[in-house]
């Protein structure tokens, strides 16, 4: 793991955002794996600024997002699709036909998972996958478990995740299920960039980096990825 520690989330946004923009400039038709949540927002803001300044174009870029809630309309204000439109896609020249998302309302989650894996493979696989980490060590919605997950699947969210994310749901109860890329799918990405900011992530970061590789801390699997870059602020790195 290539661990990089920064003062604050603004510095990380600039550094991680630059990494993505440089990559897109090198490979304009690349495949990006994207994440939602509070963590990637400074990175997305930096990318949008670079686009607005004419420094990078996303017109041939393809994207796949990590996860989506079940039982929530795709266009609901809390869907992850809406999050991506608002926080990134609407600010770029990205073609929405090139945006890949798991369908959280798919009648047959297994068929949906197979479709997603085939779609990613047909585009050549994910070049760089952006990740956050949950307070419980989850990546995407792969919660602590007895085994590492494989490809995409439907998952029941844990109490820790529901507690962390329910602050965003003011009109309806937060969904209890989600569709997520599995650990196996994430590990196929050629490069992984994980960002963790804030003291609430310090325990999970310590377990990911210094602990054993165990499905009880799903992010610990990244110790086995050959090109994983970890961006931390000082608070998230405070227990290392
Ligand atoms: P956050 O979520 O960026 O909102 O903290 C990260 C995650 O749960 O993976």
């Amino acid at each position: 793991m290539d661990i990089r520690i920064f003062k604050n989330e603004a510095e990380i946004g600039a550094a991680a955002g630059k990494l993505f923009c440089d990559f897109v400039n090198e490979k304009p038709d690349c495949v990006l794996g994207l994440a939602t949540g509070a963590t990637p927002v400074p990175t997305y803001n930096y990318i949008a600024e670079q686009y607005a300044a004419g420094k990078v174009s996303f017109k041939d870029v393809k994207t796949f997002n990590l996860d989506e809630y079940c039982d929530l309309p795709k266009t609901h204000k809390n869907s992850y699709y809406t999050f991506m439109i608002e926080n990134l896609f609407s600010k770029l020249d990205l073609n929405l036909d090139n945006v890949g998302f798991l369908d959280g309302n798919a009648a047959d989650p297994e068929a949906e998972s197979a479709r997603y894996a085939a779609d990613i493979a047909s585009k050549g696989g994910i070049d760089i996958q952006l990740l956050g980490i949950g307070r419980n060590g989850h990546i995407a919605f792969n919660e602590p478990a007895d085994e590492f997950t494989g490809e995409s699947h439907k998952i029941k969210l844990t109490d820790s995740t529901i507690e962390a994310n329910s602050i965003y749901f003011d009109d309806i109860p937060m969904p209890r299920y989600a569709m997520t890329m599995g650990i196996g799918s994430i590990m196929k990405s050629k490069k992984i960039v994980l960002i963790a900011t804030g003291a609430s992530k310090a325990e999970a970061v310590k377990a990911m980096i210094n602990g054993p590789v165990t499905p009880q801390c799903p992010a610990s699997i990244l110790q086995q990825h050959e090109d994983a870059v970890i961006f931390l602020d000082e608070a998230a790195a405070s227990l290392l």
Side-chain angles (χ1 to χ4, degrees):
M1 286 170 144
D2 171 357
I3 296 160
R4 304 181 192 177
I5 300 175
F6 295 79
K7 229 180 198 45
N8 53 44
E9 63 172 23
E11 281 188 12
I12 294 182
K18 182 172 185 314
L19 185 153
F20 274 87
C21 290
D22 287 350
F23 191 82
V24 170
N25 280 328
E26 259 171 46
K27 188 178 177 190
D29 61 347
C30 64
V31 181
L32 301 181
L34 299 176
T36 51
T39 306
V41 171
T43 301
Y44 291 159
N45 288 342
Y46 179 91
I47 291 171
E49 283 162 23
Q50 294 299 298
Y51 169 70
K55 303 245 174 79
V56 60
S57 167
F58 291 77
K59 73 180 172 46
D60 296 321
V61 168
K62 291 160 243 87
T63 69
F64 288 95
N65 260 80
L66 286 170
D67 42 19
E68 181 58 283
Y69 289 115
C70 295
D71 311 314
L72 193 67
K74 183 176 182 179
T75 53
H76 187 276
K77 66 183 172 68
N78 289 119
S79 76
Y80 282 162
Y81 181 75
T82 300
F83 176 97
M84 291 307 302
I85 296 280
E86 287 178 353
N87 285 284
L88 188 65
F89 297 161
S90 64
K91 302 175 184 175
L92 306 177
D93 59 347
L94 187 72
N95 179 350
L96 288 186
D97 290 341
N98 288 337
V99 165
F101 246 87
L102 281 160
D103 177 3
N105 295 298
D108 181 344
E110 278 185 29
E112 173 59 5
S113 300
R115 178 201 68 80
Y116 208 50
D119 196 8
I120 294 170
S122 77
K123 306 254 166 51
I126 291 172
D127 289 303
I128 310 185
Q129 176 66 59
L130 181 60
L131 294 176
I133 182 171
R135 298 170 200 180
N136 61 4
H138 75 203
I139 44 177
F141 274 137
N142 296 283
E143 304 283 31
D146 292 338
E147 286 179 9
F148 286 113
T149 57
E151 294 290 339
S152 302
H153 56 283
K154 183 171 178 172
I155 191 161
K156 187 171 186 342
L157 300 172
T158 60
D159 291 345
S160 158
T161 300
I162 291 168
E163 190 193 325
N165 289 11
S166 53
I167 52 163
Y168 300 113
F169 286 82
D170 53 11
D171 56 344
I172 56 165
M174 186 182 143
R176 270 23 188 183
Y177 289 86
M179 291 286 295
T180 182
M181 273 193 211
I183 296 290
S185 354
I186 292 169
M187 288 294 281
K188 282 183 191 164
S189 307
K190 290 160 206 158
K191 183 181 192 80
I192 290 180
V193 172
L194 183 142
I195 302 175
T197 51
S200 69
K201 303 292 175 66
E203 282 288 350
V205 165
K206 181 179 162 199
M208 165 177 72
I209 293 172
N210 292 340
V213 175
T214 165
Q216 293 301 328
C217 176
S220 65
I221 193 80
L222 300 181
Q223 292 177 29
Q224 294 178 352
H225 194 282
E226 61 185 25
D227 190 3
V229 186
I230 314 293
F231 286 86
L232 305 174
D233 69 358
E234 288 175 356
S238 60
L239 299 179
L240 294 181

